Amino acid sequence: MKPRTAEEFLVAAKEAMAGEKGWTFNVRGSEKLVLQGEENAAVYKATVRRAMAEPRALHSTGTIYTKGMGKPEEIFVVGDTGYVKEGGSGGAWKHGSLTDPEIANKVEDPVAVLDAFEGYAEDGGAGGGISFIKTAGQVELQVRVSSATLPAVRELAVVKKARRELNPTLEKLRAAGVTAPESRIAVERVMESVVLDASTYRIKAHTFRFAFSIPYGGQSIRYSYDVTESNEGTFEGTITLPAGVK
């Protein structure tokens, strides 16, 4: 029987993705902080290889670009531990649990997004749960939160995910003298979607984007985030940690 509800599409997608040894994804992302027209931005490009066997294994190689300069970044995930190295061959490896926001924010795992969407279905979303849109050849599952004060939607799972990404920037802003309480921070939007092939139910793409407005000195600072992961096909290799990484 073909899936009909969002929950049934998620089950079908999990089965379809598990039917291959692994997958390769192309990742493109950006973060922007804007105040009075002045913009600080970072762009991220990476290739993620995700094995489907247990325990979970993932390898990402990419580059973070800021002010025209690129910094290499390499990430491994084995089980519930993430390993991160920035700066190429001269960089040092850091590792930690995926429950550590500093590590979790570095990991882009499009396959694990299916688990997140199952949580969104239980969460009920922002009054509407998961919506899905069928078009020629694909099905898009989507969760969306429209304009609201942060306290009004902070307990929604997709907003918690966005806040996890926001928090490191917010801590830096606090240190720089931005004192607006959370009650005055506005959610401009939060949107996450997974696009599935309508025939195979395999993930075609995953997108997560949001924007927050933070009051400061009679104006506002806008923090935005946008990442898209596109399925580039199957991955037949193996993923193992480099020698000396613990």
Side-chain angles (χ1 to χ4, degrees):
M1 183 180 295
K2 292 185 177 181
R4 299 175 62 185
T5 67
E7 291 82 357
E8 289 172 354
F9 274 109
L10 289 171
V11 170
K14 280 190 167 185
E15 292 176 354
M17 298 302 287
E20 298 290 345
K21 184 177 179 180
W23 298 92
T24 300
F25 290 87
N26 184 36
V27 181
R28 295 290 183 271
S30 66
E31 287 183 280
K32 295 180 181 179
L33 198 63
V34 180
L35 172 63
Q36 292 181 318
E38 299 267 336
E39 179 180 285
N40 287 319
V43 176
Y44 180 64
K45 298 180 180 181
T47 298
V48 173
R49 296 172 178 86
R50 169 63 147 87
M52 295 305 298
E54 294 294 337
R56 173 168 57 156
L58 175 151
H59 182 209
S60 171
T61 53
T63 305
I64 303 168
Y65 297 93
T66 54
K67 298 180 180 179
M69 302 292 290
K71 180 170 67 174
E73 180 180 75
E74 187 171 12
I75 299 165
F76 283 89
V77 172
V78 178
D80 294 324
T81 303
Y83 303 81
V84 179
K85 182 176 72 170
E86 296 182 354
S89 58
W93 286 97
K94 298 188 296 184
H95 74 277
S97 169
L98 294 181
T99 60
D100 178 350
E102 185 178 354
I103 298 295
N105 284 355
K106 292 289 187 179
V107 176
E108 298 293 342
D109 185 351
V111 177
V113 165
L114 297 175
D115 293 325
F117 265 73
E118 286 183 337
Y120 300 158
E122 296 173 4
D123 182 68
I130 300 174
S131 62
F132 65 97
I133 306 159
K134 293 183 179 180
T135 55
Q138 67 182 40
V139 175
E140 180 180 1
L141 307 180
Q142 186 181 107
V143 175
R144 181 182 292 272
V145 177
S146 300
S147 178
T149 61
L150 181 52
V153 293
R154 63 174 296 172
E155 294 307 315
L156 296 177
V158 72
V159 177
K160 288 181 179 180
K161 181 175 179 178
R163 286 176 60 216
R164 191 190 74 195
E165 298 284 352
L166 167 69
N167 285 340
T169 297
L170 195 56
E171 288 176 5
K172 292 178 182 177
L173 290 174
R174 298 278 191 239
V178 178
T179 59
E182 186 173 287
S183 61
R184 296 185 59 210
I185 295 176
V187 177
E188 292 186 14
R189 64 172 181 178
V190 180
M191 191 284 291
E192 186 164 16
S193 73
V194 175
V195 177
L196 308 177
D197 185 284
S199 300
T200 65
Y201 311 122
R202 294 174 172 179
I203 295 173
K204 294 180 69 175
H206 165 245
T207 299
F208 182 44
R209 58 173 62 109
F210 62 80
F212 289 93
S213 180
I214 305 159
Y216 177 63
Q219 301 182 60
S220 64
I221 300 170
R222 187 175 191 268
Y223 173 71
S224 61
Y225 176 98
D226 191 329
V227 64
T228 296
E229 300 148 344
S230 304
N231 193 338
E232 298 297 310
T234 57
F235 167 64
E236 298 295 332
T238 58
I239 296 173
T240 55
L241 290 174
V245 177
K246 298 180 180 180

